[in-house]
C-alpha cells in the first residue's frame, strides 16, 4: 500500500514540476508549483515528518506562492504584454544545462547503497514535533534563541523603514 502511494505521489510530483516548466502562462506555473509543494508535503507525511509537511505547506505553498502571485500581478503579465521568445542559442544552452544537471545527479546516485530496515531498532517517532521540540530546546537552545533575536531585530528594522513621518513626501 505504501509503495503504491509513494509511486503515485512521485509521479504526481514529477508531472507537476514538469508542468511548471512547460506551462506558458506564469499563473498556471505558480499553481502547478503549489501542487508540487503539496505532493512533496505528502512525501513528508509518508516519512512520518508531519512538522516538515506542515511547515512546507504554510511557508512555501502559502507565503512564498502568494508572494510570487503578487509579483506576477504587479508586473502585469496580461495578454497585452508580449513575452520575448527564447532564441535558438538559449534553448540550446538550457538543454546543455539540463543534461549536465542530469549527469551530476546520476553521478551522485551511482554509489548509493540502500540498507534494509531493522524493525527491532526502528524508531517511528523520529519525525514527530515532540522529538523536534526536545532537541531544539536542549541541544540547539543557543542557536534557536539567536535566530529568535535576529528575527525580532529584522521585524523592528522593517517597521522602522516602512514607518512614515508626518510631513514626509512620497517619491
Amino acid at each position: 500500500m505504501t509503495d503504491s502511494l509513494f509511486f503515485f505521489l512521485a509521479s504526481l510530483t514529477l508531472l507537476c514540476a514538469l508542468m511548471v516548466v512547460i506551462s506558458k502562462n506564469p499563473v498556471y506555473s505558480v499553481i502547478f508549483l503549489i501542487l508540487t509543494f503539496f505532493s512533496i508535503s505528502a512525501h513528508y507525511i509518508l516519512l512520518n515528518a508531519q512538522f516538515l509537511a506542515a511547515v512546507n505547506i504554510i511557508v512555501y505553498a502559502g507565503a512564498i506562492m502568494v508572494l510570487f502571485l503578487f509579483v506576477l500581478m504587479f508586473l502585469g503579465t496580461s495578454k497585452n504584454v508580449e513575452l520575448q521568445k527564447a532564441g535558438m542559442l538559449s534553448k540550446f544552452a538550457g538543454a546543455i544545462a539540463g543534461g549536465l544537471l542530469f549527469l551530476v545527479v546520476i553521478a551522485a546516485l551511482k554509489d548509493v547503497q540502500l540498507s534494509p530496515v531493522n524493525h527491532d531498532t526502528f524508531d517511528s517517532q523520529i519525525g514527530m514535533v515532540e522529538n523536534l521540540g526536545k532537541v531544539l530546546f536542549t541541544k540547539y537552545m543557543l542557536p534557536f534563541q539567536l535566530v529568535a533575536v535576529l528575527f525580532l531585530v529584522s521585524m523592528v528594522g522593517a517597521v522602522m523603514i516602512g514607518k512614515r513621518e508626518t510631513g514626509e513626501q512620497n517619491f
Side-chain angles (χ1 to χ4, degrees):
M1 173 66 183
T2 307
D3 290 340
S4 61
L5 184 60
F6 168 77
F7 286 117
F8 171 73
L9 287 173
S11 61
L12 180 68
T13 303
L14 290 175
L15 178 71
C16 289
L18 187 66
M19 290 304 293
V20 168
V21 178
I22 291 175
S23 179
K24 294 190 184 299
N25 190 344
V27 176
Y28 291 157
S29 291
V30 170
I31 291 171
F32 282 119
L33 193 56
I34 291 171
L35 289 174
T36 304
F37 286 146
F38 272 109
S39 60
I40 289 173
S41 295
H43 281 284
Y44 285 144
I45 290 172
L46 281 179
L47 290 172
N48 202 20
Q50 289 86 4
F51 179 72
L52 284 178
V55 167
N56 188 30
I57 289 173
I58 291 168
V59 173
Y60 289 108
I64 301 296
M65 290 301 110
V66 168
L67 179 67
F68 280 2
L69 283 174
F70 278 143
V71 167
L72 285 175
M73 298 306 163
F74 182 70
L75 291 177
T77 58
S78 61
K79 292 182 180 180
N80 58 0
V81 177
E82 291 185 23
L83 299 176
Q84 295 178 353
K85 294 192 176 189
M88 191 65 177
L89 182 62
S90 62
K91 288 181 182 179
F92 183 71
I96 296 277
L100 289 176
L101 179 65
F102 182 71
L103 285 177
V104 167
V105 169
I106 295 298
L109 293 177
K110 72 176 177 133
D111 295 330
V112 172
Q113 296 177 0
L114 298 176
S115 60
V117 176
N118 187 359
H119 295 288
D120 296 330
T121 61
F122 180 72
D123 184 15
S124 66
Q125 301 297 315
I126 197 143
M128 302 302 269
V129 179
E130 180 182 351
N131 292 334
L132 179 67
K134 284 179 184 176
V135 171
L136 196 61
F137 288 119
T138 56
K139 187 176 178 183
Y140 297 107
M141 183 65 167
L142 180 64
F144 182 72
Q145 292 297 321
L146 289 175
V147 166
V149 170
L150 180 67
F151 281 150
L152 178 66
V153 168
S154 65
M155 284 189 293
V156 169
V159 168
M160 292 304 295
I161 288 172
K163 184 179 175 186
R164 293 188 185 188
E165 298 291 329
T166 54
E168 183 179 345
Q169 295 179 351
N170 294 334
F171 295 105

